[in-house]
Amino acid sequence: MRYRRFGRTELAMPVFSCGGMRYQQSWKDVDWPEISVESQANLEATLARSLELGINHIETARYYGSSERQLGKALAAHPRSEIILQTKVPPSEDPAEFLETFDRSMSLLQTDYVDLLSIHGVNNAELLDWALRKGGSLEVAERLQAEGRVRHIGFSTHAPLPVILEAIASDRFSYINLHWYYIFQTNQAALEAAQKHDMGVFIISPSDKGGHLYSPPQKLVDLCEPLHPMVFNDLFCLSQPQIHTLSIGAARPSDFDRHLETLPLLDQADQVLPPILERLEAAATAALGQDWLDTWMVGLPTPDTTPGEINIPTIVWLHNLVQAFDMVKYAKARYNLLGNGGHWFPGQRAGQFDPVALSAALDQSPHRDRILQILKEMDAWLGGESVVRLSQSS
């Protein structure tokens, strides 16, 4: 395993982390009698494999169903001092509720302290205010830190870039969990700001949210040769000096295996990546045109300023992925999450929109007519049964 200094926490962080949102039995917070022997054995085997590989950063969250409960029992078999343990608790309008939720996490994890506590899901300005304001959730976390129950405080986010940058600029967080990978580099400014504040950077779900790379389309497989798309994406992310660790949401011990192919390539990224990047960029240009790639985001309204709250930037982004890389399954899943994702994935699908009203909302875009056509096409291609977030699943 390779390790990187995790910003000002000074932790030696493995470049891969064991994310705890897929190996648990249920997305419901079930009690022990409902947890099967087989499920617990799988989680314990996954944890043991992670630690065997040197992946000693184990990450979970309060609302990952039975994850904390099952992990707490499994951790008892391993020296606590050898594990970097992270959990995540959402900000609350009521600081007492935040503390109560944290205490519940500690009880389930069967530990006296966590190395890393994330204020979880700082996804909009209101939630950031709940964290930062006087007497807010972050002050509670800082008191827990003073008591020794928390060692380092960070935040996780799916927010628009301005909200992320405001949180970083507060200089009250030591690390950040965020999305950034080859198909989604919108948060580049956040990486750079985090580096200036000497923050640890943890990348959320690079293999799943980063493109369903466990089952990539053949076109993407061909473009990424000689690497598997998952290995390419790992190497691409880890070639960025601001990034310290990538989450592997392992559901079973074997889920680490493909990622390990990245390790011997880390010192060769500047030779291995350029020809793959050139092919990917050429495919995107051939499918979409260079002018479109350079300007498609110009003048696009946010969902909260769009009639029907249609998430135009996300829908057009998904269109680009379909056209360039045949990422239909990924685009369909993400598109049908719109309308059900809350502040984690805001906005609505295109559906039956008013073209006159939407045309006015797009008056700053150089591609208004093309975008209106894309919205119609994407709903026809991808619209179907609504998709719910994993945390809403059974």
Side-chain angles (χ1 to χ4, degrees), residues 213-216 221 224 226-233 258 261:
L213 300 179
Y214 287 98
S215 54
V221 171
C224 290
L227 305 183
H228 186 280
M230 187 187 304
V231 177
F232 159 74
N233 194 51
R258 176 73 72 179
E261 298 175 18

Side-chain angles (χ1 to χ4, degrees), residues 69-147:
R69 186 187 302 276
Q70 292 184 254
L71 180 59
K73 184 175 182 181
L75 286 171
H78 303 277
R80 176 67 184 85
S81 61
E82 296 178 9
I83 292 170
I84 300 171
L85 180 61
Q86 176 180 189
T87 197
K88 306 190 292 293
V89 174
S92 175
E93 189 172 15
D94 179 1
E97 180 181 350
F98 178 86
L99 178 59
E100 181 181 346
T101 306
F102 172 82
D103 286 339
R104 178 66 173 156
S105 286
M106 298 290 275
S107 174
L108 291 170
L109 289 168
Q110 302 181 40
T111 186
D112 295 327
Y113 71 97
V114 288
D115 301 276
L116 300 167
L117 174 66
S118 284
I119 310 296
H120 190 31
V122 180
N123 297 335
N124 57 41
E126 179 182 51
L127 294 168
L128 179 58
D129 178 63
W130 288 1
L132 292 182
R133 68 190 181 190
K134 184 173 178 58
S137 297
L138 183 53
E139 279 196 15
V140 175
E142 289 167 342
R143 288 199 298 272
L144 293 168
Q145 186 178 36
E147 294 167 4

Side-chain angles (χ1 to χ4, degrees), residues 69-271:
R69 186 187 302 276
Q70 292 184 254
L71 180 59
K73 184 175 182 181
L75 286 171
H78 303 277
R80 176 67 184 85
S81 61
E82 296 178 9
I83 292 170
I84 300 171
L85 180 61
Q86 176 180 189
T87 197
K88 306 190 292 293
V89 174
S92 175
E93 189 172 15
D94 179 1
E97 180 181 350
F98 178 86
L99 178 59
E100 181 181 346
T101 306
F102 172 82
D103 286 339
R104 178 66 173 156
S105 286
M106 298 290 275
S107 174
L108 291 170
L109 289 168
Q110 302 181 40
T111 186
D112 295 327
Y113 71 97
V114 288
D115 301 276
L116 300 167
L117 174 66
S118 284
I119 310 296
H120 190 31
V122 180
N123 297 335
N124 57 41
E126 179 182 51
L127 294 168
L128 179 58
D129 178 63
W130 288 1
L132 292 182
R133 68 190 181 190
K134 184 173 178 58
S137 297
L138 183 53
E139 279 196 15
V140 175
E142 289 167 342
R143 288 199 298 272
L144 293 168
Q145 186 178 36
E147 294 167 4
R149 302 179 71 195
V150 170
R151 296 202 167 164
H152 306 284
I153 301 167
F155 72 100
S156 70
T157 183
H158 297 232
L161 182 59
V163 174
I164 300 174
L165 293 175
E166 183 179 350
I168 292 171
S170 75
D171 204 33
R172 294 179 66 187
F173 298 101
S174 296
Y175 70 95
I176 181 174
N177 299 9
L178 85 167
H179 293 277
W180 189 96
Y181 18 77
Y182 178 72
I183 65 168
F184 182 80
Q185 299 176 47
T186 304
N187 288 333
Q188 179 65 35
L191 293 186
E192 295 166 5
Q195 184 179 46
K196 289 178 182 177
H197 286 262
D198 196 20
M199 296 172 66
V201 174
F202 168 110
I203 299 302
I204 302 168
S205 194
S207 297
D208 183 58
K209 305 301 188 298
H212 285 188
L213 300 179
Y214 287 98
S215 54
Q218 188 60 47
K219 184 175 183 179
L220 195 60
V221 171
D222 295 342
L223 289 169
C224 290
E225 285 287 350
L227 305 183
H228 186 280
M230 187 187 304
V231 177
F232 159 74
N233 194 51
D234 285 349
L235 187 61
F236 180 75
C237 291
L238 290 171
S239 70
Q240 310 301 308
Q242 306 96 334
I243 292 173
H244 305 114
T245 188
L246 312 181
S247 178
I248 300 175
R252 58 194 64 82
S254 61
D255 282 351
F256 297 103
D257 295 349
R258 176 73 72 179
H259 295 278
L260 299 178
E261 298 175 18
T262 310
L263 296 177
L265 302 173
L266 288 175
D267 295 328
Q268 306 168 40
D270 57 348
Q271 288 88 42

Side-chain angles (χ1 to χ4, degrees), residues 14-29:
V15 295
F16 294 119
S17 294
C18 180
M21 69 180 300
R22 295 184 183 277
Y23 55 26
Q24 77 275 32
Q25 176 170 309
S26 175
W27 275 98
K28 295 179 180 177
D29 197 2

Side-chain angles (χ1 to χ4, degrees), residues 20 59-65 67-68 86-89 105 120:
E59 185 260 359
T60 184
R62 173 72 288 268
Y63 295 111
Y64 284 180
S67 179
E68 284 184 326
Q86 176 180 189
T87 197
K88 306 190 292 293
V89 174
S105 286
H120 190 31

